[in-house]
Amino acid sequence: MASDEINRREFIGLSAAGVAGSVLGLRPAAADATQQESWDPTAPMVVTGKALRVQPVLMYRVAQRREATSWKSWGGVQDDQAAESECGRITEELRTLATQAGFPVEMLPVVKARSPEEAARVHQNDYDCVIVYPATGSGETLKACFAQRKDRDTLVFVRHRSGPSYYWYEALSTRYLASGSAQFLQNSCLDHGPVHVDDVVVDDCGKLLWRLRALYGIKNFVGARIVALGGPWGKYAPDAPQVARDRYRLNIIDVPYDEVSGRIEVALRDKDRLRMAQRMAETYLALPDTTLMTDKEFVTNAFLLHGLFKDLMREHEAPAFTIRECMTTILPIARTTPCLTLGLLNDEGLIAFCESDFVIIPAGILLHYITGKPVFMHNSTFPHDRIVTAAHCSAPRRLDGVHYEPVRIMTHYESEYGAAPKVEIPVGRQVTFVDPEYSTRRWIGFTGVVKSNPFYEVCRSQQDVEIQGDWKKLCSEVRDSHWMMAYGDHLKELGYAARKIGIDWTDLSTA
């Protein structure tokens, strides 16, 4: 199996052959378009990202003994035998790391580099990131080990106490590494900038792993394909779709409603497909902690939409989907709202958002790939006394990637029509927020703790969240736009990824 064909459901990447087959959990493209797909709530989430290919390099030199003079540098790797032992140690550490990663990663065999010439040959290999282990050796060899392509990345791992000490634990400095933040905005998805002090890890494989997770996020975010049913737009930023194309190379596939309305009508009239959708609706409603508070037919129609939306994603080889005019145009066509449908797609491990707002969608795609979990696009409120309310009608349920949170299936709030989930997030759950400043390259991030799941006259899924960080500063950042939320604390990964691709990142939780 190829390196970027690794997943928890034999997910095989985004190649044309893969999407035509088992990618996205879909049937083959040649199947009858009126057939409804099965839905299995017990199936593990699909993984839509291509594996991160990592090339480890052990840099060292063979020290030659000379009498009555200094003949070796600091460091415990001074000969080929010690280097062979160190290669084994690195291989085992990376093997363990890969099993803990939670995202597809391929660790290539360790390559030894004893000179700039040997280091140069490393870059003939196909990798996304090189991890340099500079045990001993010259500065020229070190620089030759660094990734040579501007859109590829370098991590440097040095040992203090985790094995034989490294000379470059002492010798690394700003002579070889960039520092500060002034140059960050010169970076882009095509040029991740020079090797930086933040790219150095001492001893701790856990710190290596979260950096790799950020790089995996970048790899699958940049150039991502997304179907935009009804076309793209940007809330208060008309240039947002074009900015997303230019800055992040997003491939936005504009699918007009007139191309799908007929397909929806055919599905609604197909008795076999309708019966299957009814069975899936019954399975969903039988899940623990699921309460129906709207017409069951709306839920059935949401499952019909589920299959049709996945058809579009497969046909266009896209792991992501969004829909415009989701509170108006789609309702009379589908005879339900898309709220529950979008939640179902996210719960499967795909990426799905309402409103087709490309102010926020880039942040949602990156956050999804970094976390490996569903993300919740929502409206926010004015912060007060450390509290902000997050609310929308299309929340995922499987926000930890495994379990389904309690839910009430209600009507969509503004229309009082269709099927929309009111998801109850556990009180005390830590979450991460990302808030982009319209279509500028400035993003804000912070964490919070869920305090309650109220029932205000607002969008159905709603949480009052206590802000962790400078909530008063957040008041001056309030915009009538959308945020993204995910379970857990992912600020390190987001900040690291942001620097790589030229996003002006502000972490309010450190303020």
Side-chain angles (χ1 to χ4, degrees):
M1 181 173 287
S3 63
D4 55 2
E5 296 177 340
I6 301 170
N7 63 34
R8 290 170 286 184
R9 286 181 63 183
E10 296 182 354
F11 190 89
I12 57 175
L14 293 176
S15 66
V19 175
S22 64
V23 168
L24 310 184
L26 299 174
R27 62 184 181 277
D32 184 346
T34 63
Q35 294 177 2
Q36 173 69 329
E37 298 185 38
S38 61
W39 175 78
D40 180 3
T42 66
M45 290 175 57
V46 298
V47 178
T48 63
K50 298 179 183 178
L52 186 75
R53 292 172 59 89
V54 178
Q55 177 63 73
V57 179
L58 174 62
M59 185 187 105
Y60 73 103
R61 74 180 185 94
V62 176
Q64 301 296 328
R65 180 180 292 275
R66 291 180 295 167
E67 291 299 322
T69 188
S70 296
W71 55 272
K72 65 179 182 178
S73 66
W74 285 19
V77 181
Q78 302 281 357
D79 55 38
D80 291 326
Q81 183 178 358
E84 193 63 31
S85 176
E86 180 63 359
C87 283
R89 180 180 291 103
I90 292 168
T91 298
E92 287 304 311
E93 288 177 348
L94 294 181
R95 182 179 290 122
T96 299
L97 212 61
T99 65
Q100 300 169 343
F103 61 90
V105 58
E106 181 185 11
M107 301 297 185
L108 299 172
V110 181
V111 175
K112 300 173 187 174
R114 292 169 295 187
S115 66
E117 293 73 26
E118 289 185 354
R121 289 196 287 273
V122 171
H123 308 300
Q124 298 173 8
N125 297 339
D126 179 21
Y127 63 79
D128 300 301
C129 168
V130 60
I131 305 178
V132 182
Y133 291 80
T136 52
S138 69
E140 289 73 18
T141 305
L142 177 69
K143 289 186 287 187
C145 287
F146 292 169
Q148 302 300 297
R149 282 182 51 175
K150 293 182 177 181
D151 62 343
R152 296 296 182 260
D153 295 286
T154 301
L155 294 171
V156 181
F157 189 95
V158 294
R159 297 195 190 278
H160 171 206
R161 291 179 290 191
S162 63
S165 58
Y166 280 13
Y167 164 68
W168 284 95
Y169 166 58
E170 180 264 341
L172 273 178
S173 69
T174 54
R175 179 180 179 184
Y176 303 96
L177 306 168
S179 62
S181 59
Q183 82 282 6
F184 285 3
L185 294 183
Q186 304 302 315
N187 295 354
S188 70
C189 66
L190 299 178
D191 183 352
H192 297 176
V195 184
H196 191 274
V197 292
D198 289 345
D199 297 319
V200 178
V201 175
V202 179
D203 283 338
D204 192 336
C205 287
K207 293 178 180 178
L208 190 63
L209 181 57
W210 71 250
R211 287 168 170 83
L212 292 173
R213 186 177 293 113
L215 297 180
Y216 168 79
I218 292 173
K219 174 176 179 175
N220 289 286
F221 163 57
V222 173
R225 296 173 64 84
I226 179 168
V227 170
L229 178 56
W233 76 304
K235 191 173 183 181
Y236 305 119
D239 63 338
Q242 193 58 48
V243 168
R245 292 185 180 103
D246 295 341
R247 186 171 295 152
Y248 312 119
R249 298 298 188 265
L250 292 194
N251 191 336
I252 304 170
I253 302 151
D254 186 345
V255 177
Y257 270 106
D258 59 14
E259 289 188 15
V260 299
S261 57
R263 294 169 66 166
I264 295 174
E265 287 295 331
V266 168
L268 288 168
R269 293 194 300 267
D270 186 289
K271 293 181 180 179
D272 290 337
R273 190 160 188 164
L274 183 60
R275 278 193 292 269
M276 183 170 285
Q278 289 169 339
R279 289 195 295 270
M280 289 189 289
E282 290 169 359
T283 300
Y284 181 83
L285 294 172
L287 290 174
D289 298 314
T290 304
T291 304
L292 180 63
M293 300 178 66
T294 186
D295 193 319
K296 187 176 178 180
E297 182 179 356
F298 290 139
V299 180
T300 297
N301 291 346
F303 274 94
L304 285 172
L305 273 187
H306 168 265
L308 290 164
F309 287 176
K310 286 179 74 173
D311 284 346
L312 289 172
M313 296 169 76
R314 185 206 63 238
E315 291 162 14
H316 294 284
E317 305 179 14
F321 177 89
T322 187
I323 178 171
R324 190 173 179 181
E325 299 172 352
C326 48
M327 294 182 282
T328 53
T329 303
I330 191 67
L331 274 62
I333 299 172
R335 303 175 202 172
T336 190
T337 53
C339 310
L340 176 58
T341 302
L342 298 173
L344 291 169
L345 293 171
N346 282 303
D347 287 339
E348 288 180 281
L350 305 175
I351 307 169
F353 304 122
C354 60
E355 299 195 45
S356 202
D357 178 10
F358 280 83
V359 168
I360 188 63
I361 284 172
I365 295 174
L366 180 59
L367 185 60
H368 167 85
Y369 281 118
I370 283 177
T371 65
K373 302 171 185 174
V375 298
F376 178 25
M377 172 184 160
H378 60 87
N379 294 108
S380 60
T381 59
F382 196 90
H384 70 98
D385 302 325
R386 294 191 176 277
I387 297 295
V388 68
T389 302
H392 233 210
C393 285
S394 57
R397 261 184 97 176
R398 215 177 185 185
L399 286 157
D400 68 354
V402 179
H403 305 98
Y404 290 84
E405 303 293 10
V407 70
R408 283 174 273 184
I409 306 300
M410 309 177 68
T411 58
H412 168 253
Y413 174 74
E414 286 90 342
S415 65
E416 296 190 359
Y417 183 85
K422 176 174 171 46
V423 177
E424 305 288 314
I425 295 180
V427 171
R429 171 73 70 172
Q430 187 181 47
V431 295
T432 292
F433 292 105
V434 184
D435 173 18
E437 184 181 58
Y438 303 116
S439 58
T440 70
R441 64 176 63 191
R442 185 165 178 268
W443 293 8
I444 293 169
F446 59 96
T447 57
V449 175
V450 174
K451 305 303 288 185
S452 67
N453 292 268
F455 208 151
Y456 305 130
E457 289 294 318
V458 299
C459 288
R460 298 305 190 189
S461 287
Q462 48 188 270
Q463 297 81 38
D464 280 345
V465 182
E466 183 177 73
I467 299 161
Q468 294 178 309
D470 191 345
W471 71 271
K472 291 184 178 179
K473 183 175 181 180
L474 183 61
C475 290
S476 65
E477 302 285 354
V478 166
R479 297 176 279 277
D480 184 9
S481 189
H482 294 115
W483 294 0
M484 289 290 177
M485 174 205 291
Y487 277 11
D489 180 354
H490 308 283
L491 296 177
K492 296 191 304 294
E493 295 93 331
L494 286 164
Y496 186 73
R499 178 180 64 77
K500 292 282 186 181
I501 56 178
I503 294 170
D504 184 2
W505 174 257
T506 299
D507 180 353
L508 293 185
S509 292
T510 62

